[in-house]
Amino acid sequence: MLLGAIVASVVATVGLFAFARVQWPAFNSSNVLQAVTTVGQVVTLAGIASSVLLVRLHRAGRFATLLSWASLSGFVTVTLGLPLAATKLYLHGISVDQEFRTEYLTRLTDSAALRDMTYADLPPYYPAGWFWVGGRVANLLGMDGWEAFKPYAIGSLAVAAVVALVLWSNLIRHDLAIVVSLASAALVLAHGSPEPYSAVIALLIGPALVLAWGGLHRIDGRGGWGAVIGTGLFLGLAATFYSLYLGVAAFAITLLALLAVTLRIRAQKSWKAAIDPLVRLIVIAAVSGVLALTVWLPYLLKVVQGSPATSGTALHYLPEAGAQLPLPMIEFSLTGALCLLGTLWLVARASSSRRAQALGVGVVAIYLWSLMSMTFTVLGSTLLSFRLEPVLIVLLGTAGVFGFIEFAGWLVLATSDSPRVKGAVLVIGVLAGLSFVQNIPQFLSSDIAVAYTDTDGDGNRADQRPPGAAAYYAELDEIISAQIPRDRDDTVVLTADTSFLSYYPYLGFQALTSHYSNPLANFAKRAQVIADWSELETSDQMVAALDASPWRAPDTFVFRQGPDGYTLRLAEDVYPNDPNVRRYTVTFSKDLFDDPRFTVSETGPFVVVSRS
């Protein structure tokens, strides 16, 4: 895995560096990048096909392994890197969810300390693993966090694809592992890549479930402890990367353990037979728990020490997709066909294939989670089941690859090993695969378009059109640095333009929305305090209110110019409504800051007010 990760990192680095050397037209205004992407995909797929052929011929085994690693990581790099080659931003630019993710990476690029992405003096609530590693990489390379987000996201997906291949290669035939890993990578890129840190876990969850089943289901009670430890390490990684996928993976592995208990009791006719699988499950939990503490311990200590916290609103979101069971196997598409084939294979092989059992339990776990999520709406929350669809597609798609290969084997056998049938099956598989992968950029076209239309940290839009208000962020930074001459990460800024915090590592007084806010920060109370400040009438009242703030008060305000004063556009949670966020504006009188104790500067649409 380490060697594979190194190879993938080198391939991604070289590829992205090469792409950046060329002056490309924007993806959303030209078909050039799509054309070059297709060429790159064909080249990398040819490399993967060659590695499969070498493995089947039992020739040049080490070279075939290296070729498969390089080709698979090259496929990921080309498929995402080339469509984004003319922009410095990743999929979905710096908008909405990507805004707080970039802010998190910027915070951990500025410092290796585990700190909340926005608030002063708070440990992180969202798992920091993926962002911490990315921050250290960016810091080592001397890059700003926002600028490192794209190459790091693509590189981490390339590494995860190769690590998944290595894991699959230790669980199934090597040639089959290469094909399955390619299919899984293609499905994740198409359906999960805008959220790269969760996509990494989605790539690994299939082989991890097979590994877990091998460690838990041991009829004789012997061996399998390596698989148990490996499963614990996977869950620990998930805990440091993405809590939701940790939850569903742990749920699936618990179901596997209960199934193992049932089978052991039935085989040995004794309740004592349940002890061994349950002990193995406890060991998995212990290993994952120790690894999870590397990012969760600071937050847990803060809670134990009695810091006031709210329940948080991270689970307050119910789009239409979360109100229905996902059924990708009935969609009229290549993904739907593959998932349908996977569904049939899981049912047909449920009693005879350990792979089918592990993947099938994973699929069942997702559907049970979805039903629980919909049930939880009665209690005023959800389990965000709509975000599990990429994992479901990957599990069913992986099963679909196994089903296609077995079906092809039956067909060839039924036709007396006819070379024509073999050739026809191979052509169908290759054409279907090529058709799917070359359309991945089109699946992601809206996310790619935002990467070209958003204004980056240099104040430019990659589509060469006039930039937005973020073009003034560099001037804001200069003004704040002049007015508050201390480190950015020791300066609290209150602004509704929170993407400013994504580009510069200032601390914030209020987060983008409550859904991305640390429960220890008391988002709703902060919002009320801001509203109360806006109703003050004199500078003395304003200074006194800032001094009496229950949290560290803003050193600087970044307002927008309004017709009646200085404005901040804030947000509140309105779940169960969809959309779940309501925007509202508070206006501060200019007279509040007409005092020597405040310094007021203007640039573009912004007004910067700092305490002198």
Side-chain angles (χ1 to χ4, degrees), residues 287-306:
V287 171
S288 63
V290 170
L291 189 54
L293 287 177
T294 59
V295 300
W296 280 101
L297 185 59
Y299 181 82
L300 295 175
L301 288 176
K302 196 78 171 179
V303 172
V304 170
Q305 291 168 1

Side-chain angles (χ1 to χ4, degrees), residues 74-206:
F75 168 76
V76 174
T77 304
V78 164
T79 302
L80 289 181
L82 273 173
L84 295 170
T87 176
K88 291 185 177 182
L89 299 179
Y90 186 60
L91 296 172
H92 214 66
I94 201 74
S95 299
V96 195
D97 289 7
Q98 224 65 309
E99 179 180 315
F100 91 85
R101 294 166 191 154
T102 307
E103 180 186 358
Y104 207 175
L105 187 60
T106 293
R107 171 73 58 230
L108 294 177
T109 297
D110 181 66
S111 170
L114 290 178
R115 304 171 66 186
D116 185 83
M117 67 186 84
T118 300
Y119 300 105
D121 307 319
L122 289 184
Y125 173 67
Y126 284 87
W130 185 86
F131 298 93
W132 188 90
V133 174
R136 295 303 84 213
V137 171
N139 186 273
L140 180 65
L141 297 177
M143 302 175 69
D144 292 332
W146 71 268
E147 191 174 10
F149 194 102
K150 184 187 82 170
Y152 173 60
I154 296 172
S156 63
L157 287 171
V159 168
V162 172
V163 169
L165 169 56
V166 175
L167 186 52
W168 274 122
S169 298
N170 283 274
L171 297 170
I172 58 178
R173 270 187 6 236
H174 192 185
D175 57 333
L176 183 56
I178 296 173
V179 176
V180 167
S181 299
L182 172 62
S184 298
L187 289 169
V188 167
L189 293 183
H191 298 281
S193 54
E195 194 174 55
Y197 54 99
S198 69
V200 167
I201 304 303
L203 280 167
L204 297 172
I205 197 168

